[in-house]
Structures are given as structure tokens and as C-alpha cells.
Amino acid sequence: MSCLEYCDYELEQKMEFEMKMREGTTRLLAACKHQTQSLQAAKSLLTSNERMTAYIAELHRKSREPPQIGWNGGKARVSLSDLRLPLMWRDTDHFKNKGDYRRFAVFCLAKIGTQLYDTSLMFPVDRSMTDVTFNDVLLFENVGPDFKLDLEVYAHVLRDDFSIASTPRKIKNTLHSSISRTVGKKLAATLRDELNSGKIGPSFELMASAKLTLEEVDDRVHTHDMKIECTQENRNNQLPLFGHFCCRLAAQPQCTSSPVYSGYVRPRDESSSSWANLQAFELSIWSTEEEAKSQPPQKTFRVDRNTVIRALKINNEIEISNESEKRTVSFIFSVENGEEKGNWLKYLVQHTKEHYKWKKAAENVMEVQLLETNRHSFVKPERQGSLYDETPLFESFDKSSHDKNRPTVMDMFSNGGQVSTTSLSSCSSTGSMSHNLRSNSSSSSSSTVSSSGTQRRSHWPFSRKT
């Protein structure tokens, strides 16, 4: 069986597995009586459908297109973690706990090619929460440098509470108990049609999406833009997203964690052979192979995009050259035969190309966390620090004033809506209070207080990538 046939067979096996999962999940969804079970089953069904779509699209692509000659170098592990979705509630909704009655169940899907993973399900998400934070670590294996990670946010409006959100259902129940038997039968038939058409259980809708590539890879958490999928039909069911999200996207090329090539070489001007190992964009030299297992290398030579690799004509020699402080540093070594020389040249040249392809992921070795998921996040977490609590009421203030501590929103509400005259005199408002709250929230700002009492502002929640 060829490699291509094996890949097709593997995809078909995955499709068969997902079909069985869909059948079982559909039966479970029809039998669910509790909200937690229904939401989790609906989420699993949607995830299986998305995986099936990805597998079918991959099979069609392979059948239509010839095998592509693309990147044949090393792959990498890519992880998505520290995923956080800021929410944008009105000040009256969040602080006074009135106004917006909606409650949501939220989860995310992340996909690279045919690898698709889902986060834990978070609910209920309501106006008391300013962020939806996922503790999952999603790990993708064997990813090329041209990868595109598709992130999708799905949400479902909970309608089982005694609020305005459940009004349509209560109206139906009231009508069914008060109208005539004929009209009641018609209404029951309509409900049966909805069930028979496949609309069983909760229905998750796509709220927002984003695309991440190698350009967004970094060892720290960063803020990225998100496309809001909002239409007039689902405006009432729309999750109040901020338009941005935070995450840590890390990539670790395989060549940084495992040897690319190794063997005995003889450096020029030396009579004995040494053990050489090519890994993590360096050629490391030891006296023997045993020393390489327990001791640091005696010499190291950089092998990156700027390295020049040359095959010399005499004695099966290879030269590695790097520019260092306006001078050329070279290392020349020989191998036993022409075959070994060809192998070293092949992997050395490929190593320089990998450094160029992987860009930042090759320059700094990033930690890729192990695969973790928190599949039972059904209880709303306790509210911790919020950007709303630290948002200053006034964007600008008189720099000549001695009182640099501007009143925050929580100060305002904790004092019953009263702010000291000193605090107000040091602040100059350029707009209404609600406008300042909104502008400060949208600019994602937070406050920290130094030991000297001077308030410093840092861009919330993380610096944007430049």
C-alpha cells in the first residue's frame, strides 16, 4: 500500500468513526432530559459534523488535484492555549445587573487541515461575566510552516430560565392550554415537524471566526482581531463579543527537539574523528558518541538561514561559514565516503531552509504545552478581576494636579455614585460617562498602582503584535 493509499484509507476510517459517533450522539440527544446533557450532546454532534466536512473536503481535494510538491522539510507541533474572549456588556447590564437578560453556552472549534479540536463548554455565560476563558490546550501535530488555523466561536442562547428569553415558549404553552382543540392540534403538528426535520435539542450558532498563521506565533499571549458573524436574523441571539480575542499560539519545529542527522566527522587539522549532531539549528561537536549523551558539546556552529554550506572537492570535505562581527567563521570537516558527504549536505542545506521557513519559531525555541482539556466546565467560574473594575471614569486628567489617582468605576459604585471633589477636579471629561466607559473598554485598558501611589496604565489585556 502506497503512502497516498494509506492516507486515503486512514481518512475513510476516521469518517466511519465519526458517522458512528453521530448516530450515537443523535440518539443520546433525543433521549436527554437535562440541560447539561443536551448541550454537551449538541456540541459533540456539531463537532462530529465539522470533522466529517473536513474529511470529505480533503478526499475531494486529493481526487481532483495531483500530489502537490510543497514543503518536504520538517514539521512542527502547534499549540493553542490561554484562549480568552472579552465580552462587551453595557454598564447598566454588568454593574446594576439589569437590562440584558440573555444567558449563553459557549465553546470554540480550532482547525488545521483535517485536525479539528473543540474546547470545553462554558455556561451559563451572562452579564456578570466580562470574559469567557478557556483552560484548554489544543495541540496539532505534523504541521507545516504554511499552516492556517481557523478558530470559530459557537454559542447557544439558554431559554430555560424564568426571564424574557423564555417568552416564546411560555406563549406557546399558554396558547396550547387556552385555544381550541383544532388549533392545538395544528400547533402540535408544527412542533412535530420541527423535531422530524432534525431540529432536536439545542442549536449552536457561529458567532465569530478568526484565522491565525505563522505570523501570529509567539511565546507570549497576544490580542488578535476577530470577525463577528452577525446578521439581522440572529441579532437577539448574538453573543456580545468585543471584536478581539487573546490567545497564545506557539510552534515548535521537530528539528529543535530531536536530532536531524548525526555521525562521526573529522575536523580539518585534527587527526581523530569527532561525533557531530545537527539539531536546533546548531552543529554540535563531541569527542565520542558517549560524551554526547551526558556532557555539553565541546564546540557549536550556527546553522541558520545566513549560513553558507559548500561542498569541497578534496577529501570529501564540507565547509560551514557564518558571518560574526564582520568576519567569517568557518568550520571544515571531512567524512568517510561520498554517500555520507551527500547525506550531510542534504540535511545541512535543508536545515538552513527550515530556519528561513519557520521564522520566529526557529529563532526562539517555544514551549509547547501538552494536550489538556477541561471537558466538564459546566459551572460558571467565580468572578475574578475584571477590566470593568479597573477602568478609569475619565480618560484625560490634569497633569499639573497633585492627585493622580483617578476614580474607577468600582469606586463610583462603592460610594453610592458619589466621587470626591478632589478627584473630580483632577479629571477633565471629554464626553459623557457612558462614552468614556465604552471607549476605555474598547481600548482594553487596565490600571496598576505603583509603590509611590502613581497610577500607571497598561494596554489591556496584552500588547498587540506589531
Side-chain angles (χ1 to χ4, degrees), residues 303 307-311 318-321 344-345 348-349 352:
V303 181
T307 303
V308 178
I309 310 295
R310 290 199 307 159
I318 299 175
E319 181 182 12
I320 299 176
S321 301
W344 273 108
L345 285 173
L348 284 170
V349 172
T352 60

Side-chain angles (χ1 to χ4, degrees), residues 46 55 95 110 114 116 141 143 155 209 222 227-228 245 311 316 349 378 392 397 401 403 435 439 457:
L46 189 149
Y55 297 154
F95 296 110
T114 57
L116 189 146
E141 299 282 358
V143 177
S209 61
H222 282 283
K227 179 184 177 183
I228 306 297
F245 72 101
N316 293 320
V349 172
F378 300 129
F397 60 95
S401 174
D403 186 7
H435 172 73
S439 62
R457 291 172 52 82

